[in-house]
Amino acid sequence: MAERGARLLLSLLCLTFLYPATTVSRHAEKGTAARPFSPFWFSVEPWDTLAVRGAPALLNCSAHSGDPASEPTAPQARVEWKKDGTFLSLAPDDGRRRVLPDGSLLISSVVHSKHNKPDEGTYQCVATIDSLGTIASRTARLTVAGMPRFSSQPAAASIRLGDSQVLACDVNPDLVPLARWEREREPLELSSRLVQLPNGALVVSNASEADAGLYRCMVENAGPAKTSEEAQLTILPETGEERELEFLVEPLPVTKVVGASLLLPCVVTGYPAPYVRWMVGDKLVEESEGKLELVGGGSLLIYNLTEEDAGVYSCMADITNNTIEAKAELTVQVPPEFLKRPANIYAHESMDIMFQCEVTGSPAPTVKWVKNGDAVIPSDYFKIINEHNLQVLGLVKSDEGFYQCLAENDAGNMQSSAQLIILEHGSRGVANPTGPTPSAPRDVVASLVSTRFIKLTWRPPAEPNGEDLTYSVYFNQEGTNRERILNTSRPGEMQVTIQNLMPDSKYKFRVVAHNKNGLGESSAVLKVATQGEVQVPGPAPNLQAVSTTPTSVTLSWDTPLTGNGDVLTYKVYYMEKGLDLEQDIDAGALSYTLMGLKKFTEYSIRVVAFNKHGPGVSTGDITVTTLSDVPSAPPQNLTVEVHNSKSIMVRWQPPPPGAQNGEITGYKIRYRKGTRKSEAAETTGGTQLFQLIDGLERGTEYTFRVSAITVNGSGPATEWSTAETFESDLDESRVPDIPSSLHVRPLVNSIVVSWTPPENQDMVVRGYTIGYGIGSPHAQTIKVDYKQRYYSIENLDPSSHYVITLKAFNNVGEGIPVYESAITRPQSVPDPTPMLPPVGVQASVLSHDTIKVTWADNSLPKNQKITDARYYTVRWKTNIPANTKLKTANTTNLSHMVTGLKPNTLYEFSVMVTKGRRTSTWSMTAQGTTFETIPSSSPKDVTVVSKELKPRTIIVNWQPPSEANGKITGYIIYYSTDVNAEVHDWVIEPVVGNRLTHQIQELTLDTTYYFKIQARNSKGMGPMSEAVHFRTPKTESSDKMANDQANLPVKPGSNQPPLDHGFGSSHGKPGITGSGDNHILVIVVIISVGAFTIIVVVVGAFLCTRRTTSHQKKKRAASKSSNSSHKYKGNSKDLKPPDLWIHHERLELKPIDKSPEPNPVMTDTPIPRTSQDINPVDPSLDNSLLQRRNSYRGHESEDSISALAGRRGMRPKMMMPFDTQPPQPVISAHPIHSLDNHHHHYHTGSLASPTRSYLHHHQGSAHLRPHACATPISYLDMVGSTESVRNTPSTEPLPPQAQPPCQAEHQHPEPEGSYQDSTATDDEPSASGSYCSAGQPPTAHVRPTHPLKSFAVPANPAAIFESPALPSMPLLTQTGPQLHSVKTASIGTLSRVRPPMSVTVPSAPDVPETSKMLEDVDSVLASLPSCSSLAPRSNPVPFPQSYEPDELTEEMAHLEDLMKDLNAITTA
């Protein structure tokens, strides 16, 4: 079922995605007049605009439709404008605002005041074509600039030569682009020394005498220019005194849009002139032309911003003994961009469609959908999928039009549109139907109803009018007109599962079939309501979390307002921020303390309540941060660098993030001179990772260590690190010397440059300048830090000659360069000849989880011997489920064993070869399906329900196992009243095929049963399911009991006892509701009548016995002595059961004939119910045996049955599958009680055809006739026939036996209709005929020469009587000339349920014994008494006087053949 659901979902997705692309061509082929898509787009859209009060403002917009070349008369779009989401009402007399012919909006005079701002806002252009639809443009912001106001103005200032100064001019932020500077009332020309900052201020760097003068700031608006006050800038001479470093302007956090330019201000003053450098993160910012530039003495100008430019920028200024730093974060925003635009879609009504829209941007854009200019509000039929895609369910005609995806973030917004066209049903794919369509599907039912899905099944239409019907299911929620459609996944499938329904809601369903001619008639509407949701607890309110220690958090919450029963427990889920691993822990109360957490770490926590139905609704996530603690690790990467003779620079990195245990508020640097114990200490800020320690002694060794500080205190310190100050200060009065060495290492696209510093270490080196280019070193310039000793020049051309120069520099200037040249390596050319793919790929299935893949390689020699370093890659996958990923494996052989596969699954394999950098394409695929194996999981969802109005009957339902590992061929249901009983003591009910339900009848009332189910496939049985218990009802209705009694007729004169109801019967038990006294009275009457009948039978038998003559006794003795091989006991209880018992415990009998019925199951039922549970038995033999004229069948004695049933405390049952051939009749014969009993009857008769008949011992259920003499009759059951067996004369020898006390002189035929079943369960066939008063059935006596094995099946206990077992013996029927005709009736068929009968086959008599039999015939004839006094004599029975030798030989040959057949059965 899961596999079918996966295929259905895949088909629907394919239909949704592929339908738009294929519809146009399909309709073109079919000749369907589908309306083509009409292009409708904006050629110009409005953009953000800055307007000036009183000045005009223009917002551009232009919309077009159709193709001018093919549609010169395309309709013109009507353009309207929205302001802040509301349409502008532009009156004709409104001369201030009007829409131009091209659609643009012109505001001739912008109105703007403090309390009236009618023009400022967000505008959107909306274009409409009535025959097509409506589209909306992107939104644009119209900002009106305010009146110029100076928040700060330039003030008089002085500046020393070579230093920097800032003149303030802070104006409105929106007017900064309109601000400019003047010096001496003349426009000031900006340069790299004179820079205007983003806030309007002016920076004068590296001042000279020419910079002195009067400065003022001006803002030029639409009106007269606004001028600031004038300020005098005075230039002072440099005195040479050292001045402290100081930031005049520090960089501030800033946000810009990608593509813009940015100036990060950093203005520093001090003497000597500071060296300013920038770092982004921990990397030095290097100037590059057209991208990065230092202006204004230290400000960083960045052109054409990209996302990679974002980060934290640090401005660092150094002088001889001091360094200062300022940081600012740059955020770069990216406007939305479409990765995938929505596409036009053709669709029919009731279909589900999806518009896809994938966007990117920073910050992440939000997506809104618009339909014909109006916002789409999510609902049950309009859904936003994956935050971007729009799904429309159950299309209706009004859904047609233009849909737009609007993406927006802080950097901007964009839109893209697509058209939806609803096709008419006439254009569904058949232009002109050529034949009739199907009629309505029949019997639409909901076979499975859940909370959120419904499974529908139906039958095919009565008039399909074609083959390969497909079906469409239309459904809608009651109360809505929007109908949805769902198609079956493949032709002929007549079931579908509708998913994603609402719980406790009513839906309407109808099914339509369609053939090649089109849609057929719709079925009647089926109304089904989904089930309600399981009542689970609601969210726990008032969830709070408090951090009590650095490693613990205490939680508390209240009881859910909707508990829906008792809350059993709570589960706390918590997750560390930034990780995807959520942990959980059980909490029994309304509070809990989480222990063992990380210090100063943010956690996300939620709580879920559980009741008996399962987990409830989760609370919302709350966040809590554990308390901070002192750092648990020292700072990292401590370095000390001698700065000069009196200072040392100490640098470090913070402790690892997991060991900081809080926010680092500062660092403590401890240092000491030499080995002294006294220490000095300095403390820095939390973000400062360096400190210049000055005031040290010349030429002295110092040791340093650093520790991190949080609000809780200091953490562990680093190891001591040593440095020694210089004896004298480094000189910076001139440029550095030439670097002592330069080495280059060329690669294909880069050159690695390494160097050593100048030999003269007394000169200050601030950094190095690297120049390089093809033929000239001045093409590109890079500056690196003075500590760096190597650099990799990237993005070079291969096979090119580059000249590289390296110079050291300081604040004075650049030193003497050192030159080197290098030629980059040539580009390696790949081998143009690809490898040949492997051929002859074969997949050999070895087992249920292993397939061997073999192949050949044409690039190898003929012997296929691998001598090089090639290897092969094997990949494989299965299409179930559809999203299965490819798996690969590498091997150096020409075969690979793929293991770990799923049983009964089709896999595809392909191979490719790799040699060095050369690879082949994938080979052609080979397929292989793994073998089946036994199911590895049990049937699931086992449920047991009681059948309505039948409390003794239950229905077991289940679902197939998840891992069937093959086709399920059947199930076995085990049930018992003891869940702990051994497996072989459970009752077994087989289920053949893939049925998922089964009925079990006649169970005991008010009893708990346990059920297990086991699945079976061709490889064997799977595991059993968990036991499911069910208790039957306590009582059954009075109507049911009355019906049960009405079905148990007891005829007068019969000695049939009341029927045993088997296990679970309520008869005779207390506590049964109803007329218990009447039951007792009926039982007493039945017992009395039975006792009287038994007495009459015994007296009659005694009278008949007295009439036996002494001659008969002698004959009987002679007969007994002649049977030396078989010694019969005087009592039938002493008879030994046949020795051919096959599986006494299970009574499993395997037929010789191979029955067409699949999966025959032979089981026993330890818990007896009624005789109805006995299945018909088909004792099929081989073909030769089927042609025998003589067949034998018998019952086992009552005691043997009781012994077997008592051994297990149950009623054994043998079930054999029926053959599809007509059932064959079988003659049954019964063993003799004793040879001393003189009531043996001999019957002559044969069948008119070789067909076998049944001779039944009906155990007292026959209609007894009141004759003193009984006419022996063969009880023949002609199976499958409605005619009586014709009786033809037959001559058979009489065995030597005593003459019965009476002999029939006249045959009394009975009509066939008089033979009726007299048992309550119709298990026993009725019989006819006249009997002696002893009630003996007719038997025949033949002396077997050796014992034969027999097939014995215990009789049904329900049919066993308390009276002694009737004497019987095997009957040997022989054919020959018929001298006497006995009329028989066709009684019963195998289609009626009867107890299995045992079969006893005697051996053929020896020739001497047969001669003795002939001699006994004369004695029998002579001793026959006259019965004329009892009945009129007519049609006397003639008896043969002798047997011909050839007849005896023929009969012996028949019996020998029968012996061989039976021996073959016993040895099989």
Side-chain angles (χ1 to χ4, degrees):
M1 186 176 295
E3 175 183 334
R4 183 179 301 161
R7 291 199 300 267
L8 177 60
L9 180 60
L10 179 61
S11 301
L12 290 178
L13 290 176
C14 292
L15 178 63
T16 302
F17 296 145
L18 298 179
Y19 192 86
T22 58
T23 303
V24 175
S25 60
R26 184 187 308 124
H27 284 281
E29 293 171 2
K30 297 288 185 179
T32 305
R35 179 159 54 95
F37 293 115
S38 299
F40 191 17
W41 76 99
F42 287 103
S43 59
V44 179
E45 294 187 72
W47 290 91
D48 293 348
T49 303
L50 177 63
V52 179
R53 185 176 64 175
L58 179 65
L59 294 172
N60 294 313
C61 179
S62 180
H64 298 276
S65 67
D67 186 0
S70 60
E71 299 181 58
T73 61
Q76 294 296 319
R78 183 177 71 256
V79 176
E80 299 174 282
W81 283 86
K82 282 183 177 182
K83 177 181 177 292
D84 297 330
T86 305
F87 280 102
L88 285 174
S89 58
L90 302 178
D93 56 350
D94 188 355
R96 194 174 65 84
R97 296 182 299 183
R98 61 190 179 92
V99 178
L100 301 180
D102 66 345
S104 300
L105 177 65
L106 174 64
I107 303 175
S108 59
S109 177
V110 175
V111 176
H112 191 80
S113 64
K114 183 176 181 180
H115 301 290
N116 184 26
K117 302 177 181 179
D119 296 332
E120 190 173 58
T122 302
Y123 287 81
Q124 188 177 33
C125 175
V126 179
T128 303
I129 296 179
D130 294 334
S131 60
L132 292 180
T134 302
I135 57 176
S137 71
R138 68 182 301 275
T139 59
R141 177 75 181 173
L142 177 64
T143 304
V144 180
M147 291 297 295
R149 294 183 179 86
F150 294 100
S151 56
S152 65
Q153 300 196 37
S158 60
I159 181 175
R160 296 189 182 276
L161 283 172
D163 207 352
S164 301
Q165 187 57 272
V166 178
L167 298 177
C169 179
D170 291 340
V171 296
N172 312 23
D174 52 355
L175 294 179
V176 169
L178 305 177
R180 64 182 180 85
W181 282 87
E182 289 184 348
R183 183 175 61 195
E184 303 296 343
R185 304 292 177 95
E186 293 293 333
L188 181 65
E189 184 178 352
L190 300 178
S191 65
S192 60
R193 285 192 321 106
L194 303 176
V195 177
Q196 183 174 339
L197 298 181
N199 62 354
L202 177 65
V203 175
V204 180
S205 64
N206 196 12
S208 64
E209 294 289 347
D211 295 328
L214 286 172
Y215 288 81
R216 69 175 182 177
C217 178
M218 298 182 63
V219 177
E220 293 179 330
N221 207 332
K226 179 79 172 178
T227 306
S228 71
E229 298 177 357
E230 289 186 326
Q232 178 69 44
L233 179 63
T234 304
I235 307 299
L236 301 177
E238 181 58 57
T239 63
E241 295 180 1
E242 184 175 336
R243 295 193 303 274
E244 288 291 330
L245 284 178
E246 180 185 359
F247 281 113
L248 297 178
V249 178
E250 296 185 28
L252 297 175
V254 63
T255 300
K256 284 288 184 178
V257 178
V258 66
S261 296
L262 169 69
L263 179 67
L264 288 174
C266 181
V267 182
V268 185
T269 182
Y271 188 81
Y275 169 65
V276 178
R277 66 183 187 275
W278 284 84
M279 297 187 70
V280 53
D282 56 355
K283 295 172 62 177
L284 183 67
V285 175
E286 301 166 356
E287 288 188 75
S288 61
E289 188 176 352
K291 180 62 178 176
L292 298 170
E293 184 180 353
L294 279 177
V295 296
S299 298
L300 182 62
L301 181 59
I302 308 175
Y303 299 98
N304 191 20
L305 284 172
T306 63
E307 284 187 89
E308 291 74 18
D309 294 329
V312 177
Y313 284 78
S314 302
C315 176
M316 305 177 68
D318 296 332
I319 58 174
T320 305
N321 58 355
N322 194 14
T323 300
I324 58 176
E325 178 184 23
K327 292 185 178 181
E329 183 175 5
L330 169 61
T331 302
V332 179
Q333 295 181 338
V334 181
E337 295 181 7
F338 285 103
L339 299 178
K340 188 171 187 179
R341 296 175 179 266
N344 297 332
I345 294 179
Y346 280 119
H348 291 279
E349 289 190 52
S350 302
M351 286 182 59
D352 299 345
I353 64 167
M354 181 181 294
F355 288 105
Q356 292 186 311
C357 180
E358 295 183 18
V359 295
T360 183
S362 178
T366 59
V367 171
K368 297 179 182 178
W369 283 88
V370 173
K371 177 204 167 190
N372 287 334
D374 296 326
V376 173
I377 300 175
S379 64
D380 292 341
Y381 296 97
F382 288 86
K383 297 185 177 182
I384 304 299
I385 307 299
N386 295 333
E387 299 182 357
H388 292 167
N389 301 330
L390 175 65
Q391 186 180 34
V392 185
L393 305 177
L395 290 176
V396 295
K397 187 65 177 178
S398 60
D399 292 332
E400 198 171 59
F402 284 89
Y403 290 78
Q404 291 179 273
C405 175
L406 273 64
E408 182 179 10
N409 65 5
D410 294 340
N413 65 86
M414 294 187 70
Q415 62 84 25
S416 181
S417 63
Q419 186 179 8
L420 170 64
I421 294 180
I422 305 295
L423 299 174
E424 300 294 336
H425 284 291
S427 61
R428 195 173 183 86
V430 179
N432 297 308
T434 58
T437 58
S439 60
R442 298 174 293 173
D443 301 338
V444 180
V445 295
S447 59
L448 185 61
V449 179
S450 182
T451 56
R452 295 184 182 272
F453 70 89
I454 292 176
K455 180 180 180 181
L456 295 182
T457 57
W458 58 86
R459 293 173 56 213
E463 300 176 1
N465 296 322
E467 298 179 354
D468 295 336
L469 296 184
T470 55
Y471 298 88
S472 297
V473 178
Y474 296 84
F475 65 98
N476 66 303
Q477 190 171 357
E478 198 169 55
T480 62
N481 296 325
R482 186 178 287 271
E483 193 173 45
R484 298 177 58 189
I485 184 174
L486 187 62
N487 299 318
T488 53
S489 59
R490 60 178 180 270
E493 187 174 16
M494 289 179 289
Q495 64 177 12
V496 72
T497 301
I498 298 94
Q499 305 276 359
N500 300 323
L501 303 180
M502 298 298 295
D504 198 19
S505 302
K506 294 181 180 179
Y507 287 86
K508 296 179 181 179
F509 300 89
R510 61 187 183 93
V511 183
V512 177
H514 39 95
N515 59 13
K516 63 181 180 180
N517 300 320
L519 284 173
E521 299 178 9
S522 173
S523 68
V525 174
L526 174 68
K527 296 183 179 181
V528 184
T530 55
Q531 298 178 358
E533 289 278 23
V534 177
Q535 300 300 312
V536 296
N542 197 25
L543 175 61
Q544 296 181 352
V546 178
S547 179
T548 53
T549 70
T551 59
S552 65
V553 171
T554 299
L555 307 173
S556 63
W557 59 87
D558 295 336
T559 305
L561 300 179
T562 56
N564 294 321
D566 294 336
V567 175
L568 302 180
T569 186
Y570 296 91
K571 185 164 286 190
V572 178
Y573 296 87
Y574 62 97
M575 179 173 60
E576 183 180 344
K577 185 178 180 180
L579 300 181
D580 295 331
L581 178 61
E582 188 175 47
Q583 302 178 2
D584 61 82
I585 192 167
D586 291 330
L590 296 177
S591 63
Y592 190 81
T593 299
L594 293 173
M595 308 293 291
L597 304 180
K598 295 182 179 179
K599 299 177 182 180
F600 197 67
T601 303
E602 186 177 356
Y603 286 88
S604 173
I605 302 174
R606 61 188 180 94
V607 175
V608 177
F610 283 70
N611 65 4
K612 62 181 180 180
H613 298 295
V617 181
S618 173
T619 64
D621 289 352
I622 63 170
T623 57
V624 61
T625 302
T626 53
L627 297 179
S628 63
D629 199 357
V630 297
S632 55
Q636 305 178 93
N637 302 328
L638 174 64
T639 60
V640 290
E641 177 186 342
V642 179
H643 204 258
N644 52 36
S645 61
K646 293 184 178 181
S647 60
I648 294 177
M649 179 67 72
V650 182
R651 300 179 186 274
W652 62 88
Q653 293 295 322
Q660 294 181 13
N661 300 337
E663 184 178 355
I664 302 297
T665 59
Y667 294 91
K668 182 173 289 187
I669 302 102
R670 293 184 176 89
Y671 60 97
R672 63 191 181 189
K673 184 169 62 173
T675 58
R676 294 183 181 179
K677 293 185 178 180
S678 59
E679 297 179 359
E682 290 190 16
T683 303
T684 68
T687 59
Q688 185 173 330
L689 300 178
F690 59 90
Q691 180 70 17
L692 183 66
I693 309 298
D694 54 5
L696 305 179
E697 298 179 6
R698 295 173 182 268
T700 305
E701 183 181 84
Y702 288 86
T703 56
F704 300 83
R705 66 177 180 178
V706 182
S707 58
I709 304 173
T710 63
V711 294
N712 303 90
S714 298
T718 61
E719 296 293 330
W720 289 101
S721 187
T722 304
E724 184 178 351
T725 56
F726 298 143
E727 289 290 343
S728 60
D729 290 333
L730 297 178
D731 185 11
E732 201 174 3
S733 60
R734 59 185 178 88
V735 298
D737 290 345
I738 184 172
S740 57
S741 67
L742 174 63
H743 303 280
V744 294
R745 183 164 63 90
L747 301 174
V748 177
N749 298 109
S750 63
I751 296 176
V752 179
V753 182
S754 60
W755 63 89
T756 56
E759 294 181 355
N760 184 2
Q761 298 290 322
D762 295 334
M763 300 302 297
V764 175
V765 177
R766 299 292 182 183
Y768 297 90
T769 301
I770 302 173
Y772 65 94
I774 299 178
S776 171
H778 306 297
Q780 298 286 339
T781 302
I782 299 169
K783 288 187 177 181
V784 297
D785 191 74
Y786 70 97
K787 295 180 295 182
Q788 198 159 335
R789 295 293 181 264
Y790 69 93
Y791 185 81
S792 178
I793 305 173
E794 303 291 341
N795 301 321
L796 304 181
D797 296 331
S799 303
S800 301
H801 184 272
Y802 283 89
V803 178
I804 298 118
T805 181
L806 177 71
K807 295 178 287 186
F809 69 88
N810 57 18
N811 290 334
V812 177
E814 294 179 342
I816 302 173
V818 59
Y819 291 88
E820 190 64 76
S821 63
I823 300 176
T824 52
R825 296 181 182 178
Q827 183 75 41
S828 61
V829 180
D831 194 339
T833 59
M835 297 286 289
L836 293 175
V839 297
V841 181
Q842 294 183 354
S844 303
V845 182
L846 302 183
S847 68
H848 67 276
D849 64 348
T850 303
I851 294 180
K852 183 178 181 181
V853 184
T854 58
W855 59 90
D857 191 345
N858 281 346
S859 62
L860 292 176
K862 290 185 178 181
N863 59 4
Q864 293 288 291
K865 186 176 181 180
I866 302 173
T867 58
D868 49 18
R870 69 178 64 196
Y871 66 91
Y872 302 90
T873 302
V874 182
R875 72 175 182 182
W876 66 91
K877 70 167 292 186
T878 177
N879 291 329
I880 302 173
N883 60 352
T884 303
K885 295 183 178 179
L886 284 166
K887 294 185 178 180
T888 60
N890 293 333
T891 180
T892 56
N893 300 321
L894 292 175
S895 64
H896 181 68
M897 200 82 70
V898 182
T899 61
L901 304 179
K902 295 182 179 179
N904 194 38
T905 304
L906 176 65
Y907 285 89
E908 289 186 352
F909 301 88
S910 56
V911 188
M912 79 172 181
V913 58
T914 302
K915 179 181 178 182
R917 297 184 179 181
R918 300 170 57 198
T919 59
S920 71
T921 59
W922 290 102
S923 69
M924 299 185 69
T925 60
Q927 294 183 341
T929 302
T930 52
F931 295 150
E932 294 185 2
T933 186
I934 62 173
S936 54
S937 64
S938 60
K940 56 185 179 180
D941 300 338
V942 181
T943 58
V944 183
V945 296
S946 178
K947 189 170 184 180
E948 187 176 1
L949 301 179
K950 290 188 178 182
R952 296 178 183 273
T953 301
I954 58 95
I955 301 174
V956 184
N957 302 306
W958 64 91
Q959 291 298 318
S962 303
E963 300 176 0
N965 298 338
K967 182 181 179 182
I968 297 299
T969 57
Y971 298 89
I972 293 184
I973 303 175
Y974 297 79
Y975 66 97
S976 172
T977 56
D978 181 7
V979 71
N980 297 320
E982 296 293 335
V983 176
H984 60 266
D985 288 333
W986 289 55
V987 183
I988 296 176
E989 286 282 345
V991 179
V992 179
N994 57 359
R995 289 195 301 121
L996 300 177
T997 183
H998 186 69
Q999 289 190 15
I1000 300 179
Q1001 302 176 352
E1002 297 299 332
L1003 300 180
T1004 305
L1005 296 178
D1006 195 19
T1007 303
T1008 298
Y1009 288 87
Y1010 298 89
F1011 299 84
K1012 297 180 181 179
I1013 302 184
Q1014 192 177 27
R1016 178 185 67 217
N1017 59 17
S1018 62
K1019 294 298 181 181
M1021 312 298 298
M1024 292 186 185
S1025 65
E1026 294 294 328
V1028 175
H1029 68 275
F1030 179 82
R1031 191 170 187 87
T1032 53
K1034 292 185 177 181
T1035 59
E1036 55 186 353
S1037 64
S1038 57
D1039 294 340
K1040 174 68 169 57
M1041 297 181 65
N1043 292 336
D1044 290 344
Q1045 292 181 6
N1047 291 331
L1048 301 174
V1050 179
K1051 296 191 177 183
S1054 69
N1055 59 352
Q1056 177 181 358
L1059 204 72
D1060 182 10
H1061 291 268
F1063 182 84
S1065 174
S1066 60
H1067 289 264
K1069 294 183 179 180
I1072 303 299
T1073 58
S1075 55
D1077 295 338
N1078 293 339
H1079 296 165
I1080 297 174
L1081 180 60
V1082 171
I1083 293 173
V1084 171
V1085 171
I1086 292 175
I1087 293 175
S1088 302
V1089 173
F1092 177 76
T1093 303
I1094 291 172
I1095 294 173
V1096 172
V1097 171
V1098 170
V1099 172
F1102 177 76
L1103 292 178
C1104 289
T1105 303
R1106 291 290 302 273
R1107 299 178 61 182
T1108 304
T1109 61
S1110 60
H1111 179 71
Q1112 293 169 336
K1113 293 181 181 179
K1114 293 179 181 180
K1115 293 295 183 182
R1116 183 178 67 251
S1119 175
K1120 179 178 180 180
S1121 62
S1122 65
N1123 189 4
S1124 59
S1125 61
H1126 277 349
K1127 298 183 182 295
Y1128 294 89
K1129 299 297 180 181
N1131 194 334
S1132 65
K1133 294 181 179 181
D1134 297 329
L1135 283 173
K1136 289 185 178 181
D1139 55 357
L1140 183 58
W1141 291 92
I1142 304 176
H1143 296 288
H1144 285 209
E1145 294 295 326
R1146 299 293 296 257
L1147 293 179
E1148 177 176 307
L1149 181 59
K1150 300 179 180 178
I1152 297 303
D1153 288 36
K1154 300 299 180 182
S1155 173
E1157 181 69 17
N1159 302 319
V1161 180
M1162 282 69 72
T1163 59
D1164 59 84
T1165 305
I1167 301 181
R1169 298 189 297 275
T1170 66
S1171 59
Q1172 293 178 356
D1173 293 317
I1174 302 298
N1175 290 342
V1177 177
D1178 182 12
S1180 304
L1181 302 175
D1182 58 11
N1183 293 333
S1184 62
L1185 190 58
L1186 287 175
Q1187 297 173 359
R1188 297 295 178 214
R1189 290 170 294 176
N1190 302 324
S1191 301
Y1192 305 90
R1193 184 176 179 182
H1195 275 333
E1196 186 167 332
S1197 65
E1198 179 182 354
D1199 288 348
S1200 63
I1201 300 169
S1202 302
L1204 181 60
R1207 184 188 313 168
R1208 296 280 301 276
M1210 62 182 183
R1211 170 175 55 80
K1213 178 175 76 172
M1214 180 174 71
M1215 296 181 288
M1216 296 179 61
F1218 271 92
D1219 202 333
T1220 56
Q1221 299 298 328
Q1224 300 296 329
V1226 175
I1227 297 178
S1228 65
H1230 310 282
I1232 301 174
H1233 278 64
S1234 173
L1235 290 179
D1236 295 331
N1237 193 332
H1238 303 285
H1239 304 281
H1240 301 304
H1241 300 268
Y1242 182 73
H1243 166 67
T1244 61
S1246 68
L1247 301 178
S1249 67
T1251 309
R1252 287 181 287 178
S1253 64
Y1254 285 94
L1255 180 60
H1256 295 287
H1257 176 27
H1258 49 86
Q1259 300 182 349
S1261 62
H1263 306 274
L1264 300 181
R1265 286 181 168 238
H1267 292 293
C1269 299
T1271 302
I1273 304 173
S1274 67
Y1275 304 97
L1276 304 174
D1277 190 355
M1278 301 303 296
V1279 180
S1281 173
T1282 58
E1283 299 180 1
S1284 300
V1285 177
R1286 293 185 299 105
N1287 296 278
T1288 55
S1290 172
T1291 304
E1292 297 180 357
L1294 265 177
Q1297 63 177 6
Q1299 177 65 27
C1302 56
Q1303 177 66 41
E1305 297 182 3
H1306 183 73
Q1307 179 71 33
H1308 296 274
E1310 295 249 357
E1312 183 177 351
S1314 65
Y1315 301 103
Q1316 297 178 357
D1317 196 351
S1318 61
T1319 62
T1321 59
D1322 292 295
D1323 286 339
E1324 299 296 335
S1326 57
S1328 65
S1330 301
Y1331 290 80
C1332 290
S1333 59
Q1336 300 291 337
T1339 60
H1341 181 194
V1342 176
R1343 295 179 311 231
T1345 58
H1346 63 275
L1348 286 177
K1349 298 180 180 180
S1350 63
F1351 295 87
V1353 179
N1356 184 2
I1360 297 177
F1361 296 90
E1362 298 176 0
S1363 58
L1366 300 177
S1368 59
M1369 65 171 290
L1371 171 66
L1372 177 62
T1373 306
Q1374 298 180 350
T1375 58
Q1378 304 294 320
L1379 301 179
H1380 181 61
S1381 175
V1382 180
K1383 293 183 179 180
T1384 60
S1386 173
I1387 328 165
T1389 65
L1390 268 183
S1391 62
R1392 303 177 63 181
V1393 183
R1394 66 168 50 84
M1397 310 294 283
S1398 61
V1399 179
T1400 305
V1401 182
S1403 61
D1406 296 333
V1407 176
E1409 291 181 341
T1410 308
S1411 303
K1412 182 62 178 176
M1413 290 169 60
L1414 296 177
E1415 295 175 3
D1416 292 342
V1417 170
D1418 297 333
S1419 301
V1420 172
L1421 294 177
S1423 60
L1424 284 175
S1426 175
C1427 288
S1428 58
S1429 60
L1430 300 178
R1433 189 181 186 91
S1434 66
N1435 295 330
V1437 181
F1439 293 97
Q1441 299 299 321
S1442 63
Y1443 256 21
E1444 294 297 332
D1446 55 343
E1447 294 181 11
L1448 294 177
T1449 303
E1450 181 182 358
E1451 283 301 322
M1452 290 179 63
H1454 288 167
L1455 292 177
E1456 288 174 359
D1457 293 340
L1458 183 60
M1459 280 289 300
K1460 294 178 181 179
D1461 294 336
L1462 291 178
N1463 287 334
I1465 295 175
T1466 58
T1467 57

